[in-house]
């Protein structure tokens, strides 16, 4: 198994370039199933979740070509959903975004079949709003034996008005994808407004769909008969950028974070400023500088434009180094997104968790320890803790981190961090390579 070894206590300096947005990529790749023709995706992040999805599309009959590390051409003209192999189900069970196959298959074939999704374990992660929305569009949904199947009487969904009882990124995206080729008009109310939802809508529109209102809380879709090929460049990853911003806040130094949309980072920037981190914004970069002591702050996670739950472990780690007492409230997930705190405590953090609230008494220093990445963002938090800590930190289960961060070790090394990955990876060859070769 791979591990990261970090000799902490070195401030970060230099420039880091942010990759394409993971949560846009994991929606757009399945949505490509709807496209009859060649779809060229640019600025795709090189992470294991996108590799897994590209592999899944190949099992469904998609043809693919890698034009560069981050540009891929996908031709879904001949995709099908017949006799899909067990190896594909092993992949769909591994990742959360496999639930977008339901919307995409329904939109393309009028029927769907996939496993229940996997992904980071934050306790119960229901999909009732996905099912409610797709049912309203005329799908008959069945869940059983670890699978989700869906069918339609006429082979095509029909538009409907849907109100989401809970703001859900996944349900919003799944319904948009399915409705793009439904008959008539769909209105989705109380939707999520994350930047990757706008990105998915822009992708579909550039392939001939008619999706309006993405980024507001009502989305209106006029169904089209089919989608055509085209080229689309994904937005930069808001959470990857935020993670490097918090890394600088914790370790100190000055780093220019490029290929970002500063507007998407507003909430993270304003919290960091409150904590005595200096942030300068340019058109497509932020310059983050931290020299003085960190100040405490209170944070509550909320759907966009609120403070992202996917930044909660990283900011909590920074607050564990701030002067005074801070409070972080997890308001997006009902389940347990504080499991990583047990790991942070091994490094000397002083944090008490009560239900959805973490109360953090800042400490001057963290100290290196052997810790594990409980999930993707929790793993990023361990990296941040290790960079700021005195001594050596060893992080286990880093495969979770590599699901969502492109070349995190190389990017941090370029900023002067003493971090290395030891041991050979389990997979002899990245999936992306075999996907192209096959
Ligand atoms: N929820 C329901 N019913 C549903 C769907 C969601 O009750 O049908 C609840 C969830 O349990 C949660 C809340 O609604 O309490 C929000 O969940 P949401 O559906 O928005 O999350 P998701 O679609 O499962 C995506 C990202 C997550 C990110 C969340 C919130 C993907 C593949 N995953 O998950 O990303 O935390 O939105 O922004 O896009 C990550 O990148 O580390 C990650 C976990």
């Amino acid at each position: 198994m791979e591990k990261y070894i970090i000799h902490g206590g070195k401030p970060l300096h230099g420039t880091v370039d942010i990759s394409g947005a993971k949560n846009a990529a994991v929606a757009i790749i399945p949505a490509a199933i709807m496209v009859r023709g060649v779809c060229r995706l640019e600025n795709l992040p090189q992470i294991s979740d996108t590799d897994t999805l590209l592999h899944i599309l190949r099992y469904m009959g998609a043809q693919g070509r890698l034009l560069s590390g981050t540009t891929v051409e996908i031709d879904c003209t001949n995709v099908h959903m017949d006799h899909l192999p067990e190896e594909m189900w092993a992949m769909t069970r591994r990742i959360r975004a496999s639930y977008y196959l339901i919307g995409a298959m329904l939109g393309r074939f009028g029927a769907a079949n996939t496993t229940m999704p996997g992904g980071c374990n934050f306790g119960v992660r229901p999909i009732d709003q996905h099912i409610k929305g797709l049912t309203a569009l005329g799908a008959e949904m069945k869940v059983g034996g670890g699978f989700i199947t869906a069918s339609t009487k006429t082979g095509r969904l029909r538009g409907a008005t849907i109100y989401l009882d809970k703001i859900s990124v996944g349900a919003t995206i799944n319904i948009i994808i399915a409705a793009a080729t439904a008959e008539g008009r769909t209105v989705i109310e109380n939707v999520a407004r994350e930047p990757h939802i706008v990105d998915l809508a822009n992708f579909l529109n550039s392939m001939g769909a008619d999706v309006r209102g993405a980024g507001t809380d009502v989305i209106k879709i006029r169904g089209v008969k089919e989608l055509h090929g085209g080229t689309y460049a994904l937005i930069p990853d808001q959470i990857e950028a935020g993670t490097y911003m918090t890394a600088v806040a914790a370790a100190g130094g000055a780093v220019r974070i490029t290929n970002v949309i500063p507007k998407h980072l507003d909430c993270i920037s304003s919290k960091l400023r409150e904590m005595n981190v200096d942030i300068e914004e340019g058109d497509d970069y932020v310059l983050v500088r931290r020299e003085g002591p960190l100040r405490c702050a209170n944070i509550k996670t909320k759907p966009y434009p609120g403070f992202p739950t996917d930044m909660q472990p990283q900011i909590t780690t920074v607050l564990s180094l701030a002067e005074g007492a801070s409070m972080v409230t997890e308001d997006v997930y009902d389940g347990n997104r504080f499991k990583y705190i047990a790991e942070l405590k091994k490094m000397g953090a002083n944090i008490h968790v009560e239900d959805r609230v973490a109360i953090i008494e800042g400490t001057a220093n963290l100290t290196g320890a052997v810790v594990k990445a409980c999930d993707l963002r929790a793993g990023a938090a361990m990296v941040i803790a290790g960079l700021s800590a005195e001594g050596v930190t060893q992080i286990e289960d880093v495969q979770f981190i590599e699901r969502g961060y492109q070349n995190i070790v190389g990017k941090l090394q370029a900023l002067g961090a003493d971090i290395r990955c030891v041991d050979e990876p389990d997979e002899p060859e990245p999936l992306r390579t075999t996907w192209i070769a096959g």
Side-chain angles (χ1 to χ4, degrees), residues 231-254:
T231 297
Y232 190 76
L234 279 72
I235 53 165
D237 197 303
Q238 172 206 24
I239 305 299
E240 190 197 13
T243 300
Y244 284 98
M245 291 167 81
T246 43
V248 182

Side-chain angles (χ1 to χ4, degrees), residues 22-23 99 125-129 168-170 310 332-333 377:
K22 163 188 164 277
N23 287 345
Y99 50 32
R125 292 178 77 181
I127 56 163
D128 57 304
Q129 298 304 305
S168 159
V169 169
D310 293 343
V332 173
Y333 285 104
R377 309 302 173 189

Side-chain angles (χ1 to χ4, degrees), residues 73-358:
E73 268 186 4
I74 306 173
D75 184 352
C76 285
T77 308
N78 297 317
V79 286
H80 60 83
M81 47 178 284
D82 306 324
H83 310 296
L84 298 174
E86 187 50 44
E87 297 91 298
M88 170 170 153
W89 302 137
M91 291 186 175
T92 55
R93 281 189 197 100
R94 229 172 31 217
I95 56 171
R96 187 85 196 144
S98 60
Y99 50 32
Y100 297 139
L101 293 173
I102 312 168
M105 286 176 169
L106 269 168
R108 176 74 188 256
F109 310 115
N113 181 26
T114 187
T115 64
M116 287 298 279
C120 295
N121 179 7
F122 314 135
V124 188
R125 292 178 77 181
I127 56 163
D128 57 304
Q129 298 304 305
H130 300 237
I131 292 175
K132 171 181 164 171
L134 297 172
T135 304
L137 294 176
E140 190 180 325
M141 308 288 299
K142 285 193 187 138
V143 179
F147 276 80
I148 310 167
T149 55
S151 57
T152 47
K153 285 205 173 69
T154 60
R156 190 174 177 200
L157 296 169
R158 50 176 159 65
T161 295
I162 300 156
Y163 177 86
L164 295 180
D165 302 310
K166 171 121 195 174
I167 297 178
S168 159
V169 169
T172 303
I173 289 179
N174 229 342
I175 299 167
I176 296 175
I177 294 173
T181 56
E183 203 173 335
R185 189 164 178 262
T186 296
V187 179
I188 325 170
E189 294 170 344
N190 197 32
V191 295
R193 292 181 279 166
E194 269 65 6
H196 36 283
I197 290 179
V198 180
D199 210 36
L200 168 82
N202 288 341
F203 162 76
L204 289 169
N205 288 344
S206 70
M207 306 287 145
D210 184 355
V211 181
R212 296 178 194 197
T216 74
D217 56 8
V218 180
I219 292 178
K220 295 178 180 157
I221 302 154
R222 210 169 273 285
V224 295
K225 262 215 146 126
E226 57 181 53
L227 301 183
H228 55 70
T231 297
Y232 190 76
L234 279 72
I235 53 165
D237 197 303
Q238 172 206 24
I239 305 299
E240 190 197 13
T243 300
Y244 284 98
M245 291 167 81
T246 43
V248 182
V255 172
R256 192 185 184 87
I257 302 173
T258 55
N259 185 33
V260 301
I261 299 174
K263 177 94 195 108
H264 294 168
L265 304 171
D266 274 354
C267 192
I268 303 166
S269 300
S270 68
K271 274 295 157 192
L272 286 173
R273 284 187 182 118
E274 212 179 301
M275 292 159 64
N276 199 26
V277 179
D278 186 39
I279 296 170
E280 195 185 306
E281 286 175 12
D283 285 346
D284 63 352
Y285 71 88
V286 286
L287 179 59
V288 183
R289 212 181 284 115
R290 205 273 288 169
E291 278 150 13
L294 288 161
R295 280 195 295 263
C296 55
N298 294 334
I299 293 172
K300 191 186 255 190
T301 65
K302 288 278 176 203
Y304 190 84
F307 193 88
T309 174
D310 293 343
M311 283 299 302
Q312 183 257 98
Q314 302 91 313
I315 202 87
T316 301
T317 304
V318 181
L319 289 170
S320 75
L321 292 160
E323 286 177 348
S326 304
M327 195 160 75
V328 173
T329 307
E330 175 52 62
D331 205 38
V332 173
Y333 285 104
D334 302 334
N336 186 357
R337 208 175 185 178
F338 282 130
K339 273 187 291 188
Y340 68 91
I341 284 178
E343 301 301 305
L344 219 46
K345 282 182 169 178
K346 292 181 190 163
M347 301 178 70
N350 187 358
I351 307 176
H352 173 72
V353 176
E354 256 175 56
D355 194 21
R356 291 166 155 214
V357 181

Side-chain angles (χ1 to χ4, degrees), residues 29 38-47 50-55 58 62-75 234 406 429-438:
I29 297 171
V38 178
C39 174
R40 180 199 284 220
L41 300 178
E42 298 172 352
N43 202 30
L44 205 60
Q46 292 174 282
I47 51 175
T50 51
D51 287 350
T52 303
L53 279 162
L54 291 172
H55 229 72
R58 182 180 166 218
Q63 304 285 317
R65 212 153 61 93
L66 245 202
L67 302 183
S68 75
T70 56
T71 303
V72 93
E73 268 186 4
I74 306 173
D75 184 352
L234 279 72
Q406 179 175 326
E429 224 183 343
L431 285 173
R432 177 177 288 249
T433 316
T434 52
W435 184 66
I436 300 309

